[in-house]
Amino acid sequence: MRRALGPIDAATPFNAAPSASAAFSTSAALSANPPKKKGVVAKPAARTGRTLRLSKNTRTATARPPAPGERRALRKRVVLSNTNALEVRGLADLSTQNASRLREMGFEGQVLGLSNDSVDALRALEAFKATQGWSLFRRPASLIRRETVELAECMDGVAQQKHVERRMLFGERGGGKSVLQLQAMAMAYLRGWIVVHFPEAKAMTIAHEAYRPINSKDGSTAYIQPQYTARLLGNIAKANHGVLTHMRLSKPPELPVPVQSNISLLRFVELGAGDAELAWPVWRALLSELTTPSQEGTEGLQRPPLFLSMDGVDHAMRHSAYLDTAARPIHAHDLTLIRDFAAHLSGTSPLPNGGMVLAASSASTRPSTPTLDHVLARNEAAAYSPTYTTLLSNLHAHISALATAKDVDLSALHTLPSTPSTQIPATLLTQLKHLRTHLTSLARQNRSPADLLAALAAHAPKLPEWNPYLPLDSRVADCMASVTVQKVAGLSKAEARGMLEYYAQSGVLRQTVTEGLVGERWTISGGGVVGELEKAAVKARF
Amino acid sequence: MCTSEPEVRMESECDHFRVNDFNLSTANVHPFPLAAMVFIFGVNFPESQLVSRSLKSFYGIGPNVCTKLMAKFHIHNTARIGTLGDRQIDSLAAELSTMTLENDLRRQLQDNIKRLRDMGTYRGRRHAMSLPVRGQKTRSQNMTARKLNRVERRG
């Protein structure tokens, strides 16, 4: 109605039938009022894209976009408790009393909880990860596996003899390397050690942290990361405050600001945590304080063993994403924090009060590290080669006593596993299988025992060798040369059973745990790989 | 009263979760006021802007030059303008002032083309005619050349 009564729109001559002016005259248009803007509803928006227009396809505007850092906080959030999960009756805690007696008390293959104070310490150290399944259970607990018990016994030895255990965990994704490291941290914390943990080497090497060059004592350039160091010191202070508060400085530190001479180490570390400019000298001084020999009689100068750990250490064993002034990549070992850790891992920096340096590789965010891979394979094979040699010498003794080759007993070789396991590394397993084939064929041909002995001699253990046509990262090779490497492979069936029973008691596995179920889930999970076991038993619904 | 209610609810929810402190990874997301500006080479940049983005906004600085510049002054990839120290900003500005950038670089480009044209070279003529310079065919497509190639080329 309103439109019909209004002035006739000269811009649309087809509607303007009773117009007095000629169709091509522009004077009416010029004298007319400017055309009114039409409402939005009058013209549908032009079709864009090829999607069908349905109400469910339109994107509704949310109230507000996420604030800076909000999505990251959500991604990094670690939830350690779930009120919907059942409380497991009689779940014992890993405690000061039982941490050194896990085997005697029969905890191997059982799940033990973590006490509140160790949870706080571990959370301060960022030992829990968002990708781990802590949020499925009432409170944090972990399986005490064979490797955990071995680590606990190793720690007992360290505490008694004040030696240093330098070890690197590796293995496939979801194998439990990080959780084993977490358990080691918890046990070190319960023993009253100082625990220093670098939660993710990747975060230190992908050039997301501020860095600055310094001249180190040997004349080379190293790079400090002031903000990261400050946050690391904050974590150390939070996690170790009970121990650090009773310790004081033994010598005046080299700091740009004056410090009270008998300041407690806790206050000293907090000083570095509060000021990024002081963080690096404070870290240096802290490390030198913790690595001075303990003075047992003097109050405040006793030094407990030190536990140093780093997760995702592959990223620290290659060039980092940082660039030097000529825009060449900086080796991760030139970053001072990683350099300090690597020095302790390789054993060039001693720990006079004993301790453990535990590195864990990461299989989910794995960069290409050919040198590290080679050194891991070589060290693993070297650790097994005495067993291999014993096996050969036993066979040698057996064959030497034989009259004919037909009587040879190869049962020791016939019991080899089909796939490489924690005990037998891949390279040596292949060699043993070749030996078995060779000896079997010789025995079948009824050759003389001397031929069998010659075959034995030809199959001495061969360690993996580096391809000389490829560049070797000598810093990584030197650092890892004498490190014990430990493959974290799948659980045994007994351990898998303990895990599944814990799932059932927590109410996340709603089946009776039988031998059949354990066997099935163990197989589905690639031979007891913990992460896969969790997927197979808890996250997947059959 | 109304404003206090959601806070109370938030706290009771938090009791159910034990949330990590995110101290190594999420601290200092925006520690600086967003309005503050930093003056580099004649341009005011907001403190929250990435250094790499700010540098690449200059004509004559692309990804490569930017990487080299940042490496020279030890600026990490995710650094924001506000986190740079005074010395870093000064030395960055001093370095930029020694480089041929923006209008100087554009003028250099135009001079090069003008020189070709003045000499009467084929390349100069092709530039002047807004046609492809390097032997491309012109039968069907030469939009890029028509858009860009001219004596007073904009950049």
Side-chain angles (χ1 to χ4, degrees):
Chain A
M1 276 303 282
R2 204 165 167 197
R3 193 182 161 86
L5 292 172
I8 292 158
D9 192 355
T12 55
F14 293 111
N15 296 341
S19 172
S21 61
F24 291 108
S25 165
T26 56
S27 57
L30 288 172
S31 59
N33 289 331
K36 279 182 184 168
K37 276 188 182 169
K38 286 175 182 169
V40 186
V41 285
K43 191 178 155 196
R47 286 284 298 265
T48 51
R50 303 181 67 185
T51 21
L52 181 60
R53 286 176 162 273
L54 289 174
S55 58
K56 67 171 181 180
N57 287 350
T58 52
R59 189 179 286 184
T60 50
T62 46
R64 57 174 183 87
E70 194 178 322
R71 281 179 296 191
R72 184 198 178 103
L74 209 63
R75 196 173 73 232
K76 299 270 176 183
R77 190 172 71 161
V78 178
V79 180
L80 293 182
S81 172
N82 186 339
T83 44
N84 292 323
L86 299 180
E87 191 152 5
V88 178
R89 297 252 171 259
L91 177 66
D93 272 352
L94 187 65
S95 64
T96 321
Q97 287 77 35
N98 63 23
S100 54
R101 297 169 58 224
L102 291 173
R103 198 189 295 278
E104 298 157 38
M105 296 176 80
F107 284 132
E108 189 178 333
Q110 283 190 25
V111 173
L112 286 188
L114 293 165
S115 59
N116 279 341
D117 57 337
S118 38
V119 168
D120 290 342
L122 291 172
R123 201 190 302 142
L125 290 166
E126 299 185 38
F128 298 108
K129 296 189 174 191
T131 49
Q132 295 162 346
W134 304 107
S135 62
L136 295 165
F137 306 98
R138 178 60 76 106
R139 66 192 188 91
S142 60
L143 176 77
I144 305 299
R145 54 196 287 183
R146 186 174 54 78
E147 289 87 347
T148 318
V149 178
E150 283 170 7
L151 269 182
E153 286 168 353
C154 182
M155 282 180 166
D156 289 338
V158 165
Q160 283 159 13
Q161 298 159 15
K162 303 260 180 229
H163 76 269
V164 187
E165 176 67 24
R166 297 175 287 113
R167 193 178 284 225
M168 170 141 178
L169 307 174
F170 73 108
E172 60 190 294
R173 184 166 176 258
K177 302 175 288 296
S178 298
V179 173
L180 188 59
Q181 206 179 32
L182 177 144
Q183 288 174 327
M185 269 184 260
M187 291 189 293
Y189 170 78
L190 290 171
R191 283 174 162 82
W193 295 14
I194 303 276
V195 185
V196 175
H197 179 54
F198 299 89
E200 199 59 71
K202 189 180 177 187
M204 303 162 76
T205 58
I206 53 172
H208 283 194
E209 296 287 342
Y211 71 120
R212 200 192 312 152
I214 54 160
N215 287 324
S216 49
K217 280 173 189 155
D218 56 351
S220 61
T221 309
Y223 297 85
I224 59 170
Q225 294 160 294
Q227 276 78 11
Y228 187 90
T229 313
R231 292 204 293 281
L232 181 72
L233 287 174
N235 288 0
I236 294 170
K238 252 188 270 175
N240 300 293
H241 64 90
V243 191
L244 289 178
T245 194
H246 297 302
M247 288 157 57
R248 63 178 167 84
L249 284 179
S250 65
K251 51 183 179 287
E254 292 173 17
L255 281 194
V257 293
V259 185
Q260 194 188 333
S261 63
N262 62 348
I263 189 174
S264 81
L265 278 191
L266 181 66
R267 289 265 319 282
F268 184 63
V269 174
E270 281 168 349
L271 183 75
D275 185 355
E277 290 306 305
L278 289 181
W280 170 246
V282 166
W283 162 262
R284 281 305 308 157
L286 173 73
L287 210 56
S288 98
E289 283 294 333
L290 295 179
T291 52
T292 47
S294 178
Q295 299 175 27
E296 290 306 331
T298 327
E299 193 191 340
L301 297 183
Q302 295 100 334
R303 300 285 183 253
L306 182 61
F307 182 91
L308 272 172
S309 57
M310 181 186 280
D311 203 352
V313 88
D314 326 52
H315 290 272
M317 296 290 175
R318 64 203 297 265
H319 279 96
S320 72
Y322 287 105
L323 300 174
D324 67 2
T325 42
R328 288 176 306 232
I330 295 170
H331 197 282
H333 286 198
D334 282 337
L335 301 171
T336 45
L337 285 175
I338 291 180
R339 174 181 280 190
D340 286 342
F341 180 80
H344 285 105
L345 184 66
S346 65
T348 47
S349 294
L351 296 176
N353 307 311
M356 181 179 265
V357 187
L358 190 65
S361 71
S362 153
S364 51
T365 60
R366 234 175 77 81
S368 154
T369 49
T371 307
L372 180 68
D373 293 346
H374 164 73
V375 179
L376 285 177
R378 193 202 57 204
N379 288 10
E380 191 196 10
Y384 181 71
S385 63
T387 322
Y388 187 113
T389 320
T390 316
L391 199 147
L392 287 198
S393 57
N394 288 348
L395 274 176
H396 191 276
H398 166 66
I399 294 171
S400 311
L402 285 179
T404 58
K406 263 198 172 159
D407 304 331
V408 72
D409 173 23
L410 296 178
S411 57
L413 292 178
H414 284 296
T415 51
L416 289 175
S418 56
T419 52
S421 66
T422 323
Q423 282 79 37
I424 305 187
T427 43
L428 293 188
L429 181 64
T430 319
Q431 291 175 33
L432 280 176
K433 282 181 177 169
H434 286 162
L435 172 67
R436 180 173 67 190
T437 319
H438 196 173
L439 289 183
T440 315
S441 74
L442 288 179
R444 205 172 288 140
Q445 294 163 20
N446 202 8
R447 304 278 281 272
S448 71
D451 290 344
L452 267 67
L453 289 178
L456 271 188
H459 281 86
K462 282 196 219 65
L463 299 186
E465 281 178 10
W466 179 256
N467 179 355
Y469 293 101
L470 291 178
L472 179 84
D473 190 340
S474 59
R475 306 176 74 171
V476 172
D478 292 347
C479 170
M480 290 293 297
S482 63
V483 177
T484 311
V485 301
Q486 181 179 3
K487 183 162 189 172
V488 183
L491 302 176
S492 69
K493 283 206 180 152
E495 289 166 341
R497 189 186 182 96
M499 203 75 235
L500 289 175
E501 277 171 357
Y502 175 70
Y503 290 155
Q505 284 166 346
S506 297
V508 282
L509 177 71
R510 308 187 69 180
Q511 278 158 296
T512 319
V513 180
T514 58
E515 208 61 41
L517 182 87
V518 173
E520 181 200 321
R521 295 296 148 87
W522 184 87
T523 310
I524 288 177
S525 60
V529 175
V530 191
E532 300 298 324
L533 188 71
E534 188 181 88
K535 269 190 211 163
V538 180
K539 295 187 174 168
R541 297 275 174 231
F542 293 102
Chain B
M1 191 60 199
C2 284
T3 52
S4 69
E5 272 176 12
E7 283 176 17
V8 170
R9 191 171 56 80
M10 287 282 283
E11 277 172 20
S12 63
E13 271 180 5
C14 286
D15 287 342
H16 294 281
F17 299 106
R18 312 189 73 170
V19 177
N20 200 351
D21 293 328
F22 331 116
N23 37 8
L24 261 192
S25 42
T26 57
N28 299 333
V29 176
H30 278 298
F32 31 77
L34 291 175
M37 305 288 269
V38 174
F39 194 71
I40 300 176
F41 198 57
V43 182
N44 258 331
F45 292 108
E47 289 202 331
S48 61
Q49 191 163 324
L50 285 176
V51 177
S52 63
R53 189 187 161 157
S54 312
L55 287 178
K56 281 188 273 190
S57 69
F58 293 111
Y59 178 76
I61 299 184
N64 262 330
V65 177
C66 175
T67 309
K68 282 181 185 159
L69 269 179
M70 287 171 65
K72 188 164 186 183
F73 300 110
H74 302 109
I75 303 170
H76 61 284
N77 294 349
T78 56
R80 289 174 193 272
I81 291 282
T83 60
L84 294 183
D86 287 343
R87 267 179 54 197
Q88 270 174 319
I89 289 178
D90 290 347
S91 47
L92 198 57
E95 179 73 17
L96 289 178
S97 64
T98 63
M99 296 166 67
T100 314
L101 297 174
E102 292 288 334
N103 284 340
D104 290 345
L105 186 60
R106 287 200 182 92
R107 198 170 305 119
Q108 199 178 52
L109 178 86
Q110 287 170 8
D111 287 351
N112 288 343
I113 296 174
K114 207 172 278 168
R115 182 177 53 86
L116 292 172
R117 206 260 324 257
D118 294 347
M119 283 193 299
T121 59
Y122 177 76
R123 278 168 64 201
R125 290 211 314 273
R126 299 294 281 182
H127 268 295
M129 291 190 291
S130 291
L131 283 169
V133 174
R134 299 185 181 182
Q136 297 97 321
K137 297 188 177 178
T138 53
R139 180 166 164 166
S140 57
Q141 302 171 6
N142 57 1
M143 285 310 290
T144 310
R146 276 212 276 167
K147 194 167 61 186
L148 300 177
N149 291 358
R150 55 195 62 198
V151 177
E152 295 293 319
R153 185 168 173 155
R154 278 198 321 207

